[in-house]
Amino acid sequence: MYYYIFDPPIGAKEYEKTAHIKELLSSLGIAGEISQPLPGKTVDDLVNNAISKRYSTIVAVGGMQLINAVARSVEPYDIVFGIIPTLPHEDITNLIGTSDWKTAAEQLKRRRWHPVRLGLMNGNTCFLTPAHIEIPMNSAFVLETPEFSVETVGGSIDIIPLKNETTEGSGLRIQLSGGTQPTRGIMGKLFNKKETAPQQSVFTVPEITIHTADPIQVTVAGTPLISTPVRCTTEGKQIRLIVARGGEQ
Amino acid sequence: MAADQIDTIVGAHVELKGSLRNQGSIQIHGTVIGDVVSDAVVIVGETAHVTGPITAKQVEVSGQVHGSITADEQIELQPKSMVKGDLTTKRLSIKPGAVFIGKSNMTPDASVGMTMDDDGGKKRPRLELE
């Protein structure tokens, strides 16, 4: 029933943690087939293997990179996706209600799942956790949505797929941090009285296109996936993600 | 209003052009050129410049607005605000120091609160009307 894809452990501590996780899964009665990506065997290969063997639940056990890679691979299929994080991360807590591996493993047994939308970049690259773009401070960029455009200079952009339908509809939460105003001249900067005003911007949009002066990497969980310009939407299909009680929105 | 109750925020360093629409609240601290529409509260911060109409349930202005403001419930002009455009609402509050150039249209059950500035014993209104 359960197919586990583990991050290859590095070092004694990770080997120990991997062993503890396997022990816990057995004690919970949810042990299953265990695999890990290797040279010549990608995450896609492992997921295809699980699908061909008719497993109903695929679980990613590892860090953010593996979790996002497995989520991208399982998206086309009608199966349940589980996560056991081996490192605490706020994005994981937001997703499944915990970033503790023991609690996450116990959640798997309850199989309380919730539909979650993936983000989609340039029509073919899915992301489960926020995508991030770091813009140099002297570099202008433009965000375009169906309703408006935003222009600013420098800072960072976080693109967060909304987990499910909200009162605003499905879509993306966009957070801009830092930056300076594009039209401010030197006198404006010298006599700037605006630094006490909130610097962060937050929008919810169905889709967004980001243009930068030069190509800038878009990363998910620290992994560069593509470069700007990038068009982000939410994938039409949802994946069924196992969450903690109260982890649903 | 707590930050987690604001659904949309336009930061101080941002210039937005187009239509900014949200069912939830909107807080503006940068520049908006276009219309702003909310089913809840619109807050125009001290550093904000809005050029275009604002429509919401409640509107609170501390910055600059060039355009009409329509609020089902209330419009509040704070001391450092400057509004050039017509106001339409049920309740209007204009604090001392606010600058308002335009017409005010009060809807049924309207009430207006204008705080007069006390200047050496002579009370003078701190608003200008066309």
Side-chain angles (χ1 to χ4, degrees):
Chain A
M1 190 176 176
Y2 291 85
Y3 187 92
Y4 297 92
I5 300 176
F6 275 71
D7 247 337
I10 301 170
K13 277 192 178 177
E14 288 190 13
Y15 271 103
E16 201 176 328
K17 183 180 269 185
T18 299
H20 286 323
I21 293 172
K22 290 175 183 174
E23 277 174 24
L24 179 60
L25 296 175
S26 289
S27 67
L28 289 171
I30 54 171
E33 185 169 342
I34 290 175
S35 65
Q36 65 184 43
L38 295 167
K41 206 165 226 182
T42 64
V43 167
D44 285 341
D45 295 332
L46 297 177
V47 168
N48 288 336
N49 184 41
I51 299 298
S52 67
K53 293 181 178 179
R54 298 183 184 278
Y55 280 96
S56 60
T57 306
I58 296 177
V59 181
V61 186
M64 299 291 282
Q65 291 181 18
L66 178 77
I67 289 166
N68 273 281
V70 176
R72 281 193 291 276
S73 288
V74 304
E75 184 270 331
Y77 304 105
D78 191 21
I79 55 104
V80 175
F81 177 49
I83 295 172
I84 298 179
T86 53
L87 292 169
H89 199 288
E90 182 187 355
D91 292 338
I92 292 297
T93 307
N94 291 338
L95 260 181
I96 64 171
T98 183
S99 56
D100 171 62
W101 62 268
K102 291 177 191 169
T103 309
E106 284 159 7
Q107 281 169 201
L108 290 180
K109 183 166 184 175
R110 296 190 197 103
R111 286 181 67 81
R112 182 190 303 275
W113 61 264
H114 196 69
V116 169
R117 291 188 185 278
L118 296 178
L120 185 65
M121 290 189 277
N122 289 349
N124 56 19
T125 303
C126 296
F127 58 105
L128 179 66
T129 55
H132 181 79
I133 307 173
E134 199 68 36
I135 312 282
M137 286 312 290
N138 59 350
S139 181
F141 64 96
V142 175
L143 309 179
E144 286 179 354
T145 78
E147 296 280 316
F148 58 82
S149 66
V150 167
E151 190 178 331
T152 187
V153 178
S156 65
I157 308 170
D158 286 295
I159 306 154
I160 304 158
L162 292 178
K163 286 201 308 188
N164 47 37
E165 297 287 336
T166 67
T167 54
E168 308 291 338
S170 61
L172 304 165
R173 175 79 79 188
I174 311 297
Q175 289 178 189
L176 307 181
S177 301
T180 57
Q181 198 164 39
T183 54
R184 293 177 67 75
I186 184 68
M187 295 304 288
K189 289 177 186 171
L190 282 175
F191 295 98
N192 184 21
K193 297 178 185 176
K194 297 191 176 185
E195 292 308 325
T196 56
Q199 308 301 309
Q200 191 180 55
S201 299
V202 178
F203 313 103
T204 300
V205 294
E207 62 177 88
I208 191 163
T209 304
I210 300 167
H211 301 276
T212 54
D214 298 305
I216 296 175
Q217 284 184 338
V218 182
T219 62
V220 176
T223 303
L225 292 180
I226 57 175
S227 294
T228 56
V230 60
R231 178 174 174 266
C232 298
T233 60
T234 47
E235 177 75 340
K237 189 172 172 295
Q238 297 175 324
I239 60 171
R240 293 185 285 169
L241 177 66
I242 294 176
V243 299
R245 181 194 296 269
E248 313 90 339
Q249 277 188 350
Chain B
M1 176 172 292
D4 60 2
Q5 295 177 329
I6 304 291
D7 289 350
T8 294
I9 303 175
V10 179
H13 293 155
V14 162
E15 182 175 288
L16 185 149
K17 293 179 184 173
S19 185
L20 182 60
R21 293 167 182 264
N22 193 26
Q23 286 184 337
S25 300
I26 297 174
Q27 195 173 102
I28 301 170
H29 298 279
T31 302
V32 173
I33 302 169
D35 61 309
V36 179
V37 180
S38 167
D39 292 343
V41 179
V42 171
I43 297 173
V44 179
E46 273 188 35
T47 57
H49 294 250
V50 177
T51 304
I54 299 176
T55 307
K57 190 176 177 183
Q58 287 182 51
V59 179
E60 180 185 314
V61 183
S62 299
Q64 296 189 26
V65 176
H66 290 217
S68 63
I69 303 177
T70 304
D72 292 338
E73 295 293 330
Q74 175 172 300
I75 295 173
E76 199 170 300
L77 304 189
Q78 297 295 331
K80 293 184 181 179
S81 63
M82 195 195 89
V83 174
K84 208 169 180 180
D86 296 341
L87 307 180
T88 303
T89 187
K90 191 186 291 185
R91 286 194 305 275
L92 175 62
S93 170
I94 303 176
K95 300 288 173 64
V99 174
F100 166 44
I101 303 170
K103 297 176 187 173
S104 67
N105 305 304
M106 309 303 293
T107 54
D109 302 325
S111 66
V112 175
M114 291 186 289
T115 309
M116 311 297 263
D117 183 32
D118 190 353
D119 179 17
K122 295 183 183 177
K123 293 195 174 184
R124 300 184 291 177
R126 296 291 292 177
L127 57 86
E128 299 170 57
L129 297 173
E130 287 183 333

